């Protein structure tokens, strides 16, 4: 049976006493001895022995009322011995003897016991029950302190503060401790005066002398009393023994110096604090970096600030701004650019954002990144309407527009201005011209002309005016609008002082060609001659020898054969790339002037030295004609046979057959003549000489009594050339009209029907070309390739060279580079002008490159380079692919030279790619500084080429990562993600940024001055 607590306590204290009394009757005096012995043991803290003595006394007396004191000490001794029943015994004592003087002390003892055990809930419960009026002064002070500390530990700071404030007064064992905690709580509440007073009292005690200085220094710091922080802090740091948390005091003293702008002393203390601490708290590291910056210690400033600048918060924004300033002082403008860019992107501190934006724009302007100046300041006045720097921003923006390669944006900006000054209009003249040049290079000729007209409306700068008229003439020439081209070139001559510019002499060449193509040879002659007489033209100019050829042609047309021969010879001396044509023309001129042997010699030179020339078949034919006209039929037959056998696709074959047949007739070789005439009718019934051939055949058959065969060939001739051919012609012309009116969907079924209805028509080759080109125009490339390939393989259309080029282009576009190369090679042989030749070579060069035939790529590129810009951007494209071939072959230094030439010769897409590839090679060679310098100069000339601009900045990020400049890499990648319009580039940047962020670990926080 479990006894109630009260009965159990009585049993424990009294039951044993009855037994003892029965066995050991003793006198009262001897019983008192046990009580006195217990008190002595209790005072000596021998609580176990004391408890035994008190128990003996209680048993002997056996009267609860008389043993109350002994019961009290028995229970309290149990508390000291941590007996589990001690709390219950003390409570029973207090309940049984409420009026007993020790009842109040019982709760006090219970509370202090639980306090010692750190059971603050129990300590509070019992100490609150201890009546202060029944405790002595020492007990009251102890009770107040322990109750206060218990509340403090339970975070009930208001009650704790009240009790500490009460307890701190007087001179007792807890007063210093209470002053310390009261000081802390006052500090916590922002009562720095009270905190100071209390802590200074606590500091007088030995126990708190090394503890208080840190907290008191922090109080002084919070109070803003930086002079006293320095004085007191430095004094504390010199104490012996050393104070607690000396590094934190060093930090506070350093920060106090920092607040007083004594950055040298601040840096000294920050350095002491930082020794051995990694990582540092970012606030501390920012102040260290700022102090270093102020002390002109930019290397250390950079190291400290860049660790903070990577964070996207207020501190990171300020750190990024001052990091940029430090990089500037360290003469590292590119890294400064990244830091300012980071600071301006964060929308936290508007003043820092404003200053960083201006710095970013200024630096970009200095580095020539004008398009980025425009991007960064485009919304400046909107974002900072009351900025004191708005004037500076406007100046930068205006200057950037003047120098930017983003001319269209500059034009749009200027056109939106409500008022335009003289200077702005001068700028407008220039940027519209520059934009026209870009449009021209990108082959948007109509738009280029429109932009040039805008420029010409503001003829301030006469050189730009001359340049605009010249370029306008070039654009019209490409479109074969010769009268407009002539007018534009003529305008150059009428521009004041144009004779001092390069455009004057260039216009001589251009207008000469325009007149030449208009068949106004007298006028063409004047300008070609003036061009060649200009002292600025040198033999290394690719147009120099060409102008000689054209001048010779004009003399030839005007029948001034001596002058023609003279200029043809000069062209050969100057190594014209059109030497085959010149030899052919010389042969023609010699023949016309009855110098037959020299004529044949020139033609033989062409045939021997240029067997694949587009003039080779004509040279063989002309050689035969010369002998034929001189009645030298045997050598004439040899030449005609050479043409017929070796140049089977030549349009001159039917003429050669006809003339060879006539030669056979003159040599009485009638049967051979008949065979040639028959062959003309069989194979070329619609040719111009077929009519002559039928008459020659009639005569030959008649002279050899074979007239019975004539009817058969007359039928063939009539079938190929029916007298009722009007309907066929009408249908073909109707389909052609639809084609030339660009109604391709309607033209296609007409041509398909025509080809089915008139398979033997002489118009079939051309109809098939028009059909294929119509399919191409509606983007049906499969059918286009099928039809055009038939044209190319048949080889009879007057549009053969166009068909071959289109087939080559389609095969190239489809990735069939081997097939493309075959057709480009054929186009080179078929080409009838410099442009077609250059197009063929361009395609052939690229096809060789994409089939990894790099040596042939270089050979064709060299041929293109020798021809100059025979077609738009040919030279630059050739330099690019020559460099790419050298790159692929591992000739990196050679590739760099070639890419550099391509990048500097024209601001087109070839130049943009070449510029990027130079950076890439330098990066692969680990020439990081050179790679960065090259990459950052990209925007100066190629900012409009978004893909290569994005590739360049991805490379810049790679360089930074290779240099462990993660902050710069992060800033660069974020800029790409925010600004690039190219999806492929943005995705690549996101991937690189994710990889970078997974590598960079955020630093763990360290202790900082509380604020």
């Amino acid at each position: 049976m479990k006894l109630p607590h009260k009965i159990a306590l009585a049993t424990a204290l009294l039951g044993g006493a009855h037994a003892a009394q029965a066995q050991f009757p003793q006198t009262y005096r001897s019983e008192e001895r046990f009580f006195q012995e217990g008190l002595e043991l209790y005072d000596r803290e021998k609580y176990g022995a004391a408890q035994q003595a008190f128990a003996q006394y209680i048993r002997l007396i056996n009267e609860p009322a008389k043993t109350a004191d002994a019961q009290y000490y028995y229970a309290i001794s149990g508390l000291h011995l941590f007996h589990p029943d001690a709390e219950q015994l003390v409570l029973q004592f207090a309940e049984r003897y409420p009026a007993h003087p020790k009842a109040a002390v019982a709760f006090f003892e219970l509370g202090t016991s639980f306090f010692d055990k750190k059971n603050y809930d129990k300590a509070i419960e019992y100490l609150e029950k201890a009546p202060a009026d029944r405790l002595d002064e020492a007990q009251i002070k102890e009770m107040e302190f322990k109750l206060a500390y218990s509340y403090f530990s339970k975070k009930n700071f208001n009650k704790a503060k009240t009790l500490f404030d009460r307890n701190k007064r007087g001179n007792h064992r807890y007063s210093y401790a209470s002053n310390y905690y009261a000081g802390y709580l006052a500090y916590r509440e922002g009562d720095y005066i009270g905190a100071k007073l209390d802590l200074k009292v606590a500091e007088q005690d030995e126990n708190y002398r090394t503890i208080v200085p840190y907290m008191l220094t922090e109080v002084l710091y919070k109070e803003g009393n930086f002079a006293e922080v320095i004085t007191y802090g430095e004094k504390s740091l010199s104490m012996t023994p050393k104070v607690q948390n000396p590094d934190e005091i060093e930090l506070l003293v350093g920060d106090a110096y920092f607040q007083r702008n004594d950055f040298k002393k601040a840096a000294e203390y920050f350095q002491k604090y930082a020794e051995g601490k990694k990582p540092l708290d970012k606030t501390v590291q920012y102040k260290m970096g700022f102090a270093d910056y102020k002390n002109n210690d930019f290397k250390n400033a950079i190291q400290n600030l860049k660790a903070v600048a990577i964070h996207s918060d207020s501190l990171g924004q300020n750190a990024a701004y001052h990091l940029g300033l430090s990089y500037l002082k360290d003469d590292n403008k590119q890294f400064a650019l990244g830091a300012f860019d980071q600071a301006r992107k964060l929308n936290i501190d508007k003043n820092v954002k404003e200053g960083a934006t201006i710095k970013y724009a200024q630096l970009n302007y200095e580095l020539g990144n004008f398009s980025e100046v425009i991007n960064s300041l485009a919304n400046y006045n909107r974002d900072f309407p009351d900025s004191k720097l708005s004037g500076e921003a406007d100046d930068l923006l205006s200057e950037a527009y003047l120098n930017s390669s983003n001319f269209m944006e500059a034009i749009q900006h200027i056109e939106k201005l409500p008022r335009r000054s003289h200077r702005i209009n001068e700028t407008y003249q220039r940027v519209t011209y520059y934009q026209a040049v870009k449009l021209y290079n990108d082959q948007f000729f109509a738009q280029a002309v429109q932009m040039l007209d805008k420029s010409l409306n503001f003829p301030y700068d006469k050189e730009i005016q001359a340049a605009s008229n010249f370029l306008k003439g070039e654009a019209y020439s490409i479109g074969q609008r010769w009268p407009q081209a002539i007018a534009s070139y003529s305008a150059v001559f009428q521009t004041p002082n144009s004779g001092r510019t390069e455009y004057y002499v260039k216009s001589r060449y251009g207008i000469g060609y325009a007149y030449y193509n208009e068949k106004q040879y007298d006028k063409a002659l004047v300008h070609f001659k003036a061009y060649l007489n200009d002292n600025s033209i040198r033999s290394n100019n690719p147009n120099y020898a060409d102008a000689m050829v054209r001048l010779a042609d004009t003399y030839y047309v005007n029948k001034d054969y001596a002058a023609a021969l003279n200029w043809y010879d000069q062209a050969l001396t100057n190594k014209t790339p059109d030497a085959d044509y010149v030899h052919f023309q010389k042969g023609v001129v010699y023949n016309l002037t009855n110098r037959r042997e020299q004529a044949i010699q020139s033609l033989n030179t062409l045939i021997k030295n240029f067997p694949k020339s587009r003039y080779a078949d004509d040279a063989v034919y002309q050689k035969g004609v010369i002998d034929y006209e001189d009645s030298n039929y045997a050598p004439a037959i040899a030449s005609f046979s050479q043409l017929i056998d070796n140049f089977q696709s030549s349009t001159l074959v039917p003429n050669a057959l006809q003339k060879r047949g006539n030669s056979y007739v003159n040599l009485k070789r009638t049967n051979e003549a008949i065979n040639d005439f028959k062959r003309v009718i069989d194979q070329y019934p619609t040719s111009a000489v077929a009519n002559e051939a039928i008459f020659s055949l009639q005569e030959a058959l008649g002279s050899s009594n074979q007239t019975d065969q004539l009817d058969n060939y007359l039928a063939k001739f009539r079938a190929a050339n029916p007298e009722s051919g009007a309907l066929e012609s009408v249908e073909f012309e109707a389909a052609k009209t639809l084609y030339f009116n660009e109604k391709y969907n309607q033209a296609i079924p007409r041509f398909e029907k025509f080809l089915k209805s008139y398979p033997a028509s002489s118009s079939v080759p051309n109809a098939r070309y028009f059909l294929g080109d119509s399919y191409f125009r509606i983007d049906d490339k499969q059918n286009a390739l099928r039809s055009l390939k038939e044209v190319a393989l048949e080889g009879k259309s007057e549009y053969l060279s166009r068909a071959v080029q289109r087939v080559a282009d389609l095969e190239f576009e489809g990735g069939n580079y081997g097939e493309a190369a075959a057709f480009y090679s054929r186009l080179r042989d078929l080409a009838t002008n410099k442009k077609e030749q250059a197009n063929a070579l361009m395609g052939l060069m690229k096809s060789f490159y994409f089939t990894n035939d790099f040596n042939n790529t270089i050979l064709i590129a060299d041929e293109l380079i020798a021809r100059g810009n025979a077609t738009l951007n040919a030279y630059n494209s050739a330099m690019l692919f020559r460099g790419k071939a050298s790159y692929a072959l591992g000739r990196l230094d050679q590739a760099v030279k070639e890419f550099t030439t391509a990048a500097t010769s024209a601001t087109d897409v070839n130049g943009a790619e070449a510029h990027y590839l130079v950076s890439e090679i330098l990066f692969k060679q680990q020439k990081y500084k050179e790679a960065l310098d090259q990459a950052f100069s990209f925007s100066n000339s190629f900012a409009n080429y978004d893909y290569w601009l994005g590739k360049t900045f991805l490379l810049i990020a790679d360089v930074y990562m290779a240099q462990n400049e993660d902050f710069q890499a992060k800033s660069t990648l974020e800029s790409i993600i925010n600004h690039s319009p190219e999806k492929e580039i943005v995705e690549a940047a996101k991937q690189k940024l994710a990889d970078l962020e997974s590598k960079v670990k955020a630093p763990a926080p360290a202790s900082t001055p509380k604020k």
Side-chain angles (χ1 to χ4, degrees):
M1 177 179 175
K2 187 174 181 180
L3 299 174
H5 289 305
K6 291 183 180 180
I7 300 174
L9 176 62
T11 304
L13 295 178
L14 301 177
H18 286 295
Q21 187 181 29
Q23 296 177 25
F24 304 104
Q26 295 192 17
T27 65
Y28 180 82
R29 189 169 187 172
S30 62
E31 293 161 356
E32 195 66 32
R33 176 174 60 81
F34 285 109
F35 180 75
Q36 293 300 324
E37 182 182 336
L39 287 176
E40 290 177 8
L41 290 169
Y42 182 88
D43 288 339
R44 286 159 47 200
E45 300 181 0
K46 304 290 186 182
Y47 299 116
Q51 198 175 45
Q52 290 178 5
F54 288 131
Q56 187 73 356
Y57 173 73
I58 292 167
R59 285 195 296 273
L60 292 174
I61 298 300
N62 198 21
E63 289 185 31
K66 292 183 179 181
T67 60
D69 284 351
Q71 291 178 52
Y72 168 76
Y73 286 117
Y74 180 91
I76 298 302
S77 295
L79 281 177
H80 289 300
L81 294 170
F82 303 108
H83 289 174
D85 64 345
E87 177 185 6
Q88 193 63 37
L89 290 175
V90 174
L91 290 174
Q92 287 176 355
F93 173 82
E95 184 178 349
R96 183 177 296 146
Y97 308 108
H100 194 285
K102 296 199 180 297
V105 180
F107 286 111
F108 169 77
E109 292 289 351
L110 266 179
T112 56
S113 174
F114 280 112
F115 178 88
D116 293 339
K117 296 174 187 175
K118 293 183 171 52
N119 188 338
Y120 298 116
D121 288 324
K122 287 282 190 178
I124 290 169
E125 178 185 349
Y126 294 126
L127 290 174
E128 286 283 13
K129 291 181 179 179
D133 58 342
R134 295 168 65 183
L135 298 175
D136 61 29
E137 185 67 20
Q139 289 172 326
I140 289 171
K141 294 301 181 185
E142 182 178 357
M143 181 269 292
E144 284 177 348
F145 175 78
K146 291 185 176 179
L147 182 58
Y149 190 88
S150 298
Y151 278 125
F152 177 86
S153 296
K154 299 302 291 182
K155 295 185 170 29
N156 189 337
F157 298 125
N158 289 334
K159 287 190 175 182
K161 179 73 163 58
T162 301
L163 288 165
F164 281 133
D165 281 343
R166 185 192 308 163
N167 190 257
K168 70 186 181 183
R169 301 185 186 96
N171 185 17
H172 55 85
R173 64 178 294 196
Y174 296 104
S175 63
Y176 290 117
S178 289
N179 271 284
Y180 176 77
Y181 287 107
Y184 171 78
L185 291 172
Y187 159 76
R188 189 178 178 278
E189 292 174 356
D191 177 11
Y192 301 132
I193 295 175
K196 240 186 340 183
L197 292 171
D198 291 338
L199 290 171
K200 284 184 176 179
V201 172
E203 190 179 23
Q204 297 171 16
D205 184 69
E206 285 293 327
N207 294 314
Y208 292 98
R209 188 162 294 152
T210 60
I211 299 173
V212 166
Y214 166 60
M215 188 179 294
L216 188 52
T217 306
E218 194 162 0
V219 168
L220 293 169
Y221 179 87
K222 292 289 187 182
E223 200 175 29
N225 193 344
F226 300 120
E228 197 169 347
V229 169
I230 293 167
T231 303
Y232 179 77
E234 290 182 334
K235 177 184 173 184
S236 300
L237 289 170
S238 65
M239 285 173 54
T240 304
K242 288 187 177 181
V243 295
Q244 289 187 9
N245 300 319
D247 55 342
E248 296 297 330
I249 296 175
E250 286 169 344
L251 177 59
L252 289 165
V253 172
D255 210 333
Y257 276 121
F258 183 92
Q259 300 296 339
R260 290 169 65 85
N261 296 327
D262 187 344
F263 298 111
K264 186 174 182 181
K265 291 293 288 184
E268 179 184 325
Y269 277 96
F270 285 149
Q271 185 90 22
K272 290 179 182 178
Y273 170 79
E275 284 176 5
K277 290 186 178 68
K278 284 193 177 181
L280 290 169
D281 171 76
K282 63 182 180 180
T283 304
V284 175
Q285 197 152 15
Y286 168 75
K287 290 183 177 180
M288 289 178 68
F290 187 86
D292 290 332
Y293 169 76
K294 288 291 187 178
N295 291 330
N296 297 326
D297 184 1
F298 303 116
K299 297 288 186 189
N300 278 324
I302 288 167
Q303 291 306 312
N304 284 308
L305 290 170
K306 75 178 180 181
V308 184
I310 202 164
H311 298 284
S312 299
D313 54 19
S314 177
L315 205 60
Q317 185 182 25
N318 276 276
Y321 179 74
H322 286 97
L323 177 60
L325 295 176
S326 299
Y327 276 131
L328 279 182
K329 294 290 187 180
D330 199 42
D331 198 28
N332 191 337
K333 291 183 178 180
Q334 296 295 354
F335 280 23
L337 203 62
F340 288 132
D341 190 31
Q342 174 80 354
R344 79 184 180 95
K345 286 177 183 173
L346 295 171
N347 295 311
I348 301 170
D349 189 323
K350 192 170 183 179
N351 290 329
V352 174
K353 180 181 177 71
E354 178 184 350
T357 301
I358 289 291
K359 286 290 185 185
Y360 180 75
Q362 286 174 337
L363 199 47
N364 271 301
Y365 183 81
E366 290 175 21
L367 293 171
N369 303 329
F370 303 117
S371 60
E372 191 57 26
V373 177
I374 294 169
N375 290 335
S376 61
L377 294 179
N379 299 317
Y380 186 86
N381 288 328
R382 185 196 69 187
D383 296 340
F384 309 103
D386 301 320
S387 174
K388 295 178 180 178
L389 302 172
S390 59
E392 187 174 354
D394 287 341
D395 287 344
L396 278 169
L397 190 56
S398 299
E399 291 298 321
Y401 279 133
L402 293 176
N403 293 282
S404 172
S405 58
N406 192 346
F407 307 121
M408 198 62 235
E409 191 173 355
I411 291 164
Q412 291 169 351
H413 174 74
I414 294 172
E415 288 179 346
K416 289 176 183 177
L417 292 175
R419 289 180 298 176
R420 284 156 53 169
S421 65
H422 178 88
R423 182 186 176 201
I424 290 296
N425 282 330
E426 285 183 326
T427 303
Y428 186 72
Q429 178 199 15
R430 191 173 295 274
V431 294
T432 47
Y433 168 71
Y434 292 154
Q435 178 63 15
V437 171
K438 181 185 181 301
L439 290 167
Y440 178 87
N441 287 336
D442 291 340
Q443 302 186 41
F444 297 113
F445 304 114
Q447 295 94 319
V449 168
Q450 292 173 3
M451 197 59 64
L452 289 167
D453 284 337
K454 288 186 176 185
S455 180
L456 289 167
N457 285 333
F458 298 90
Y460 293 102
D461 187 307
K462 297 307 173 185
E463 184 172 358
I464 295 295
Q465 183 184 358
S468 296
N469 279 311
F470 167 73
L471 191 63
K472 199 172 172 183
E474 294 287 282
Y476 281 135
S477 292
I478 288 174
Q480 298 185 8
R481 297 171 64 181
W482 307 117
Q484 292 92 333
I486 289 167
S488 295
Y489 290 129
S490 296
V492 176
F493 306 138
Q494 296 162 13
T495 304
N497 299 319
S498 63
R500 300 175 183 175
T501 70
E502 61 180 299
Y503 307 107
Y504 189 92
V505 67
K506 285 182 175 181
S507 294
R508 288 287 190 192
Y509 180 76
I511 199 171
Y513 251 106
Y515 278 128
Y516 182 88
N517 286 304
E518 278 286 280
K519 297 183 171 51
Q520 297 184 44
Y521 299 111
D522 289 341
K523 293 180 179 179
L525 185 150
V526 171
H527 289 286
F528 282 129
K529 198 168 185 179
Y531 176 80
L532 291 167
N533 288 334
D534 194 292
N535 293 328
S536 65
I537 302 301
R538 297 289 180 268
S539 59
N540 60 354
N541 186 313
N543 295 329
Y544 185 65
D546 183 67
M548 291 178 175
V549 174
R550 296 288 83 85
L551 180 59
D553 287 343
T554 60
Y555 280 122
Y556 164 75
V557 172
N558 288 331
K559 299 183 179 180
D560 187 344
Y561 299 126
L565 286 171
N566 173 51
W567 284 105
Y568 284 137
D569 285 334
Q570 288 197 52
L572 290 173
T573 302
N574 283 279
K575 298 181 180 178
T576 174
D578 296 318
D580 54 345
Y581 170 78
V582 171
H583 284 296
F584 177 77
Q585 284 297 102
K586 284 183 69 177
V588 172
V589 172
Y590 281 134
N591 185 40
L592 288 171
T593 55
N594 296 314
R595 296 152 77 177
R596 304 296 173 85
E597 289 184 8
Q598 289 164 295
I600 290 175
Q601 184 181 352
S602 290
L603 294 172
N604 279 334
T605 300
L606 189 160
I607 295 165
K608 178 182 178 182
N609 295 339
F610 306 97
K612 292 185 177 181
S613 167
R614 64 186 184 276
Y615 303 106
D617 60 336
D618 213 337
V620 173
Y621 180 72
Q622 289 299 328
K623 184 181 166 189
V625 168
I626 292 171
D627 284 321
Y628 177 83
E629 291 175 348
D630 274 354
S631 300
N632 297 323
Y633 299 117
I637 289 170
S639 293
F640 293 137
S641 297
Q642 183 182 357
L643 174 67
I644 293 164
D645 295 339
N646 298 334
F647 298 92
Q648 295 177 10
S649 62
S650 173
T651 58
L652 295 171
V653 169
N655 301 69
L657 284 167
Q658 175 64 24
K659 280 191 163 44
R660 188 173 72 171
N662 289 337
S663 298
Y664 281 137
V665 168
N666 287 308
L667 293 176
K668 312 294 186 188
R669 295 162 65 178
T670 307
N671 287 334
E672 290 164 293
I674 289 170
N675 288 336
D676 278 349
F677 298 141
K678 285 181 177 179
R679 189 170 168 186
V680 172
I681 304 303
D682 285 332
Q683 297 180 7
Y684 308 97
T686 61
S687 66
V689 298
N691 194 54
E692 183 183 346
I694 198 69
F695 286 108
S696 296
L697 179 61
Q698 181 184 16
E699 290 179 4
L701 289 172
S703 66
S704 60
N705 296 316
Q706 301 180 55
T707 53
D708 56 322
Q709 298 181 34
L710 184 61
D711 288 343
N712 181 37
Y713 281 91
L714 282 172
K716 287 184 180 181
F717 180 78
R718 288 194 189 101
N721 301 277
E723 292 179 358
S724 59
L727 182 60
E728 171 192 332
S729 176
V730 168
E731 290 188 25
F732 179 64
E733 291 301 323
K736 271 176 63 178
T737 299
L738 290 169
Y739 171 83
F740 285 113
N741 287 335
E742 300 181 4
K743 296 179 180 179
Y744 304 115
N745 284 308
Q746 297 174 43
I748 287 170
R750 292 290 188 97
F751 284 123
E752 294 277 18
K753 181 182 177 183
F754 178 85
L755 290 170
K756 288 180 182 177
S757 301
Y758 308 101
S761 170
S762 61
S763 298
V764 163
N766 287 346
R768 189 169 283 120
Y769 168 77
F770 292 135
L771 175 64
D773 197 51
S774 296
Y775 277 126
F776 178 81
R777 304 283 182 176
I778 64 169
D779 206 33
D780 185 348
K781 294 180 180 177
Q782 184 176 354
N783 277 318
L785 183 60
R786 173 182 56 79
S787 294
L788 292 170
K789 220 167 192 180
E790 288 182 44
V791 177
L793 295 174
E794 186 181 38
K796 293 182 179 180
S797 172
E798 64 181 286
Y799 302 100
L800 178 60
S801 61
R802 293 188 192 179
V804 171
Q805 177 163 356
R806 191 76 83 195
V807 170
D809 291 343
L810 286 169
E811 294 287 16
F812 183 88
E813 186 180 325
N816 302 319
Y817 302 118
E819 278 287 294
F823 280 99
Y824 282 128
S825 182
R826 186 177 173 199
L827 178 63
R828 177 171 60 171
D829 298 335
L830 289 171
T832 58
N833 55 57
K834 290 168 63 177
K835 182 178 178 181
E836 285 185 354
Q837 277 187 315
N839 287 337
L841 291 170
M842 288 260 285
L844 191 57
M845 172 185 69
K846 293 178 181 179
S847 299
F848 280 142
Y849 176 79
F850 288 112
T851 54
N852 298 326
D853 187 348
F854 303 121
N855 288 317
N856 269 325
T857 302
I858 291 171
L859 286 174
I860 301 299
D862 286 342
E863 187 174 345
L864 264 173
I865 291 165
R867 291 174 177 270
N869 270 329
T871 187
L872 190 62
N873 300 330
Y875 176 83
N876 220 32
S877 184
M879 287 304 306
L880 171 67
F881 275 87
R882 198 188 199 292
K884 291 170 77 169
S886 296
Y887 191 0
L889 291 168
R891 304 167 187 167
L892 300 188
D893 292 337
Q894 180 65 24
V896 167
K897 291 177 184 177
E898 288 154 353
F899 289 143
T900 301
T901 301
T904 54
S905 62
T907 57
D908 61 2
V909 68
N910 298 305
E913 183 179 359
H915 195 287
Y916 165 77
L917 289 170
V918 173
S919 304
E920 183 179 87
I921 290 174
L922 292 170
F923 171 65
K924 288 183 177 180
Q925 292 175 326
Q926 298 184 6
K927 297 177 180 178
Y928 298 134
K929 183 181 183 303
E930 293 90 337
L932 283 176
D933 290 342
Q934 173 73 10
F936 277 116
S937 66
F938 183 93
S939 296
N940 296 351
S941 302
F942 305 105
N944 286 329
Y945 295 96
D946 293 322
Y947 178 79
W948 292 111
L949 180 65
K951 289 280 286 182
T952 296
F953 275 88
L954 286 173
L955 183 69
I956 288 170
D958 289 338
V959 176
Y960 284 145
M961 285 187 277
Q963 294 177 310
N964 294 318
E965 290 289 348
D966 294 339
F967 168 77
Q968 298 292 336
K970 179 175 180 282
S971 178
T972 302
L973 292 169
E974 287 175 344
S975 181
I976 294 170
I977 292 165
N978 292 331
H979 295 122
S980 177
E982 295 287 334
K983 186 176 179 182
E984 175 189 337
I985 299 298
V986 170
E987 290 304 314
K990 286 180 178 178
Q991 184 58 55
K992 286 180 183 290
L993 183 60
D995 294 342
L996 177 64
E997 288 177 339
S998 67
K999 186 188 84 169
V1000 178
K1001 295 181 179 179
S1007 60
T1008 67
K1010 299 180 179 66
K1011 298 199 175 180

